[in-house]
């Protein structure tokens, strides 16, 4: 197919909660397929998003953080991006965080495609659909068609071993189960100049960056019924001496566990009508271990402080979509979630926090897609949410879409969204340094964007957009003048504007290329200063080339990120990363292989550190290697 023909059949399901052509979606959308993930050597969701137009990722040697539209405060835990797996919300109910690294409870080998939907989407999804919605679509059992193993090895003696089993029985039952183990001891030594003294091992953290993860994902489908089950656990040693912990102690670390069980029913109650209902149960647990020295007068007295969050909740959601006369579409739905547990505890020799909470939230939404004319489409959505903690909030989205020619699409977009204060921000109180603020209100964003999508010939597509947004009541940690203790407040306001351009080309034989440039200005309204960790320029490029006289694909990726401001007011320099992957298709039945190099030219670069870290910036890995095979039966 030509690229223009592909555009006529390429669909996205996350933009409107039902499948629609990308050109009809009320948002700018990028889709990353399983084939691209394999050809470009991506191993985590964070790496996938780092290659998408307008996105960038930071890493603090514990978690990965995604930035969009110039907004990514260090240590933010991805609370302003909504992460979905087959439409199921993956953000937890304590920190509202989205997992992007090995803590994501499913391996990339189980993914069919990833939908990246930009802009506010609270009109459909409620909280956290602030800057973007990322919807992971998993493979079905028939697509797996047997047993598939994807073992891989890499630098630092890392090992990954995902295995997937899937198929379809004669009775029509589709099944898919994927399990994976991941081990990465990390670098033997990491140097941090802020700790360069004899008392702290001259700045070297030895064997203090390892991690391992276990993941299990399963899916059963028959008729209109789907049962999804997911569980993942990741343990990570933290080498950076965060929160003023003892440096170079491998007992500093975190454990994240996330799982859910979901039953989905889809049916057609009437002609031209589709309905869906979901019932789910979710769990999340975080365990942090932090080593402190309580010794006095030069004597050492090491104590492990434990920080625990335990979340448990269930929910139900239903919606119905109907195609009306004149090709109009109407969607209506509602959802409810009950937090059975939002527990937080902190202790060592004494208990500093032991907080137990429950709660609920509900939402109702509607969206209409009106065919005003053969070349004009109006999409209007509205959602009302009610929270036990702070009350109600209403958020609309409007999209006017015009098709002046067969290969041209113009979108004018407006939307509002919110992020609810999470349990950590509302109720964390350790009696000594930080106190709770149950009076917090939601954050708000109002955004407008104009998008032009233009086909050039049969193989090239260009996208250009300009955007502007304003946020209010951003939740920030600051000192209370009354007692000098830290407390979250609705303080900050941000205004931002920018432009994006992307060129994408696809040709017969597997040749695929894309390149994008993003310019953005994001500033704090009060100080008029550029936001921390907000690059003015992002350049992303990827090229997948079939090598002559072989079935080998060469995947080349370039990522440029301009300089960024740090918490301390300094700057980390810009950098250009080059990644190269060689992958060979099936030269024998059921067997293929890949070889990749990340940071090919061994560039030294850093990401801005968060306030709880002693350093101004966190150095990243140099050149690393990996190799993998795919075995199928």
């Amino acid at each position: 197919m030509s690229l223009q023909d592909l555009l006529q059949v390429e669909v996205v399901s996350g933009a409107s909660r039902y499948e629609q052509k990308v050109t009809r979606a009320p948002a700018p959308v990028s889709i990353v397929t399983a084939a691209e993930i394999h050809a470009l050597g991506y191993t985590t969701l964070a790496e996938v998003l780092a290659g998408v137009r307008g996105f960038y990722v930071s890493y603090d040697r514990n978690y990965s953080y995604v930035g969009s539209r110039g907004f990514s405060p260090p240590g933010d835990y991805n609370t302003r991006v909504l992460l979905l797996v087959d439409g199921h919300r993956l953000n937890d109910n304590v920190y509202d965080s989205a997992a992007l690294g090995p803590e994501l409870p499913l391996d990339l080998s189980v993914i069919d495609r990833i939908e990246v939907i930009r802009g506010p989407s609270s009109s459909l999804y409620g909280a956290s659909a602030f800057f973007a919605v990322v919807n992971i679509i998993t493979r079905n059992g028939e697509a797996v068609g047997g047993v598939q193993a994807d073992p891989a090895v890499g630098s630092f003696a890392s090992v990954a071993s995902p295995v997937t089993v899937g198929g379809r029985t004669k009775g029509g039952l589709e099944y898919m189960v994927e399990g994976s183990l991941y081990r990465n001891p990390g670098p033997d030594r990491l140097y941090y100049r802020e700790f360069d003294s004899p008392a702290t091992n001259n700045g070297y953290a030895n064997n203090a960056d390892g991690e391992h993860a276990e993941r299990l994902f399963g899916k059963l489908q028959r008729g209109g019924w789907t049962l999804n089950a997911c569980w993942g656990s990741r343990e990570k040693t933290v080498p950076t001496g965060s929160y003023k912990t003892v440096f170079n102690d491998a007992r500093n670390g975190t454990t994240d566990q996330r799982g859910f069980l979901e039953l989905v029913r889809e049916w057609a109650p009437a002609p031209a009508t589709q309905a869906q209902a979901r019932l789910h149960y979710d769990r999340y647990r975080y365990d942090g271990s932090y080593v402190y020295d309580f010794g006095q007068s030069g004597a050492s007295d090491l104590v492990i402080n434990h920080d625990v969050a335990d979340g448990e909740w269930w929910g139900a959601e239903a919606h119905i979509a109907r195609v009306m006369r004149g090709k109009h579409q109407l969607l209506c739905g509602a959802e409810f979630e009950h937090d059975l547990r939002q527990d937080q505890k902190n202790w060592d020799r004494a208990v500093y926090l032991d907080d137990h909470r429950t709660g609920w939230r509900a939402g109702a939404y509607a969206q209409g897609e009106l065919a005003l004319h053969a070349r004009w489409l109006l999409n209007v959505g509205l959602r009302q949410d009610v929270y036990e903690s702070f009350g109600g909030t209403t958020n609309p989205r409007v999209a006017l879409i015009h098709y002046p020619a067969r290969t041209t699409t113009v979108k004018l977009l407006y939307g509002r969204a919110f992020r609810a204060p999470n349990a950590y921000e509302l109720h964390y109180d350790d009696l000594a340094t930080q106190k709770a603020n149950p009076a917090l209100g939601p954050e708000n964003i109002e955004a407008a964007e104009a998008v032009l999508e233009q086909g050039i010939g049969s193989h090239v597509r260009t996208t250009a957009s300009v955007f502007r947004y304003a946020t209010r009541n951003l939740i920030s940690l600051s000192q209370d003048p009354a007692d000098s203790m830290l407390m979250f407040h609705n303080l900050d306001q941000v205004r931002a504007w920018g432009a994006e351009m992307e060129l994408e080309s696809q040709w017969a034989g597997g040749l695929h290329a894309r390149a994008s440039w993003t310019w953005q200005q994001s500033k704090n309204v009060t100080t008029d200063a550029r936001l921390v960790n907000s690059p003015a320029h992002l350049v992303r490029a990827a090229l997948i080339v079939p090598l002559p006289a072989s079935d080998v694909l060469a995947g080349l990726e370039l990522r440029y990120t301009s300089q960024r401001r740090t918490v301390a007011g300094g700057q980390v320099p810009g950098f250009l990363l080059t990644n190269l992957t060689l992958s060979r298709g099936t030269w024998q039945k059921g067997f293929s292989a890949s070889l990749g190099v990340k940071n090919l030219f061994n560039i030294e670069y850093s990401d801005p550190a968060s306030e709880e870290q002693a350093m101004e910036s966190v150095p990243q890995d140099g050149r690393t290697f990996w190799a993998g095979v795919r075995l199928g039966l």
Side-chain angles (χ1 to χ4, degrees), residues 125-414:
Y125 292 105
S128 301
F130 206 80
F131 286 109
V133 173
V134 178
N135 188 24
I136 297 172
I137 308 297
T138 60
R139 303 163 68 187
N140 57 41
E142 193 169 19
V144 177
V147 180
Q148 176 184 304
D150 295 86
V153 296
S155 297
F156 315 125
S158 63
V159 178
S161 54
V163 177
T164 308
V165 179
R168 184 185 182 95
T169 68
K170 293 181 179 179
L173 175 67
E174 279 196 75
Y175 60 92
M176 190 269 288
V177 178
E178 183 264 346
S180 66
L181 298 175
Y182 172 72
R183 298 287 186 274
N184 186 352
D188 293 337
R189 304 177 80 192
L190 289 170
Y191 174 73
Y192 300 103
R193 58 181 179 82
E194 291 80 3
F195 294 96
D196 193 348
S197 73
T200 50
N201 199 37
N202 297 311
Y204 286 98
N206 298 326
N207 300 311
D209 192 45
E211 64 183 321
H212 64 271
E214 300 85 32
R215 290 168 283 206
L216 183 65
F217 181 83
K219 177 191 289 189
L220 293 175
Q221 295 175 291
R222 184 171 184 174
W225 293 92
T226 301
L227 179 65
N228 293 319
C230 182
W231 178 254
S233 177
R234 195 277 301 242
E235 295 183 26
K236 178 68 174 70
T237 306
V238 181
T240 55
S242 305
Y243 301 101
K244 300 181 180 180
T245 54
V246 173
F247 181 72
N248 191 35
D249 192 314
R251 292 175 294 177
N252 289 312
T254 59
T255 300
D256 290 270
Q257 297 177 328
R258 180 71 172 91
F260 68 85
L261 182 66
E262 180 182 48
L263 182 64
V264 183
R265 169 65 168 157
E266 295 180 282
W267 73 101
T273 305
Q274 292 292 324
Q276 183 189 86
R278 296 172 177 265
L279 180 66
H280 64 87
Y281 168 80
D282 287 69
R283 282 298 308 269
Y284 170 74
R285 184 176 175 88
Y286 161 82
D287 287 271
S289 297
Y290 302 97
V291 182
Y292 291 93
D293 190 347
F294 286 3
Q296 298 179 358
S297 302
S300 180
D301 183 14
L302 300 183
V303 175
I304 298 179
N305 177 267
H306 300 274
D307 195 52
V308 173
D310 199 349
E312 182 180 11
W313 65 103
W314 72 272
E317 186 264 339
H319 69 252
I320 187 167
R322 180 176 175 82
V323 179
M324 314 293 286
R325 291 182 179 180
K327 297 184 179 181
H328 309 307
Q329 294 204 38
L330 179 65
L331 172 80
C332 297
E335 63 179 314
F336 174 83
E337 284 195 358
H338 180 212
D339 295 308
L340 303 171
R341 183 188 308 174
Q342 293 174 302
D343 297 347
Q344 299 182 82
K345 188 173 182 179
N346 185 282
W347 79 97
D348 43 52
R349 290 174 178 166
V351 176
Y352 308 110
L353 170 68
D354 191 6
D355 187 76
H356 303 269
R357 302 282 170 172
T358 61
W360 61 266
R361 53 193 175 275
Y365 53 90
Q367 178 177 285
E369 185 181 282
L370 308 176
L372 304 177
H373 183 270
R375 294 188 176 184
W376 289 92
L377 188 71
L378 178 65
N379 190 299
V380 180
L382 183 70
R383 174 166 170 144
Q384 174 71 34
D385 285 273
V386 179
Y387 276 68
E388 183 183 28
S389 58
F390 65 82
T393 176
T394 305
N395 295 275
R397 180 174 66 177
V398 180
L400 181 62
I401 304 174
H402 179 44
Y403 309 100
R406 188 180 74 90
T407 60
T408 305
T409 302
V410 178
K411 299 180 181 181
L412 301 178
L413 311 171
Y414 167 82

Side-chain angles (χ1 to χ4, degrees), residues 457-584:
S458 299
H459 302 283
V460 179
R461 174 176 61 173
T462 61
T463 302
S465 68
V466 291
F467 62 85
R468 185 180 181 87
Y469 70 82
T471 68
R472 294 180 291 107
N473 301 322
L474 289 179
I475 298 172
S476 304
L477 192 63
S478 59
Q479 280 191 336
D480 186 340
D483 52 18
S484 298
M485 290 185 68
L486 294 173
M487 185 169 68
F488 284 102
H489 295 86
N490 291 105
L491 287 179
D492 291 339
Q493 299 183 54
V494 169
R495 295 192 185 277
W497 54 94
E500 295 181 346
M501 296 185 64
E502 184 172 53
L503 184 147
E504 185 175 8
S505 178
Q506 185 163 314
W507 301 77
L511 177 63
H512 184 199
R514 70 170 185 263
S516 67
W517 166 73
T518 300
W519 170 81
Q520 54 204 6
Q521 294 286 331
S522 303
K523 292 187 176 183
N524 184 295
V525 172
T526 303
T527 64
D528 198 39
R530 177 182 290 276
L531 298 185
V532 171
N533 194 25
S534 179
H537 300 278
L538 296 170
V539 177
R540 301 291 184 257
L543 178 65
I544 301 173
V545 182
L547 298 185
S550 71
D551 59 356
V552 175
L553 291 176
L556 179 67
E557 185 182 27
L558 301 176
R559 299 182 197 160
Y560 171 74
T561 302
S562 66
Q563 68 177 13
R564 291 166 289 169
R565 184 169 164 262
T566 66
V567 172
Q571 301 280 346
V572 295
F575 60 91
L576 174 64
L577 291 184
T578 305
N579 302 322
L580 177 64
T581 302
L582 298 177
S583 57
R584 188 169 186 181

Side-chain angles (χ1 to χ4, degrees), residues 52-187:
V52 173
R53 177 181 86 240
F55 284 74
Y56 58 105
V57 172
S58 306
Y59 179 53
D60 66 357
R61 314 303 301 196
N62 190 13
Y63 299 108
S64 295
Y65 310 97
V66 64
S68 175
R69 303 286 161 95
F71 193 99
S72 183
D76 177 57
Y77 300 116
N78 304 312
T79 60
R80 298 172 183 90
V81 172
L82 178 61
L83 178 59
L84 307 174
V85 175
D86 293 325
H88 178 86
R89 182 187 183 94
L90 210 61
N91 298 58
D92 67 79
N93 76 330
V94 178
Y95 304 109
D96 202 24
S97 61
L100 303 180
E103 66 275 14
L104 180 72
L106 70 162
D107 191 84
L108 294 194
S109 62
V110 80
I111 293 175
D112 177 70
R113 69 184 188 274
I114 299 172
E115 303 172 346
V116 181
I117 302 145
R118 298 170 179 82
S121 294
S122 287
S123 62
L124 281 181
Y125 292 105
S128 301
F130 206 80
F131 286 109
V133 173
V134 178
N135 188 24
I136 297 172
I137 308 297
T138 60
R139 303 163 68 187
N140 57 41
E142 193 169 19
V144 177
V147 180
Q148 176 184 304
D150 295 86
V153 296
S155 297
F156 315 125
S158 63
V159 178
S161 54
V163 177
T164 308
V165 179
R168 184 185 182 95
T169 68
K170 293 181 179 179
L173 175 67
E174 279 196 75
Y175 60 92
M176 190 269 288
V177 178
E178 183 264 346
S180 66
L181 298 175
Y182 172 72
R183 298 287 186 274
N184 186 352

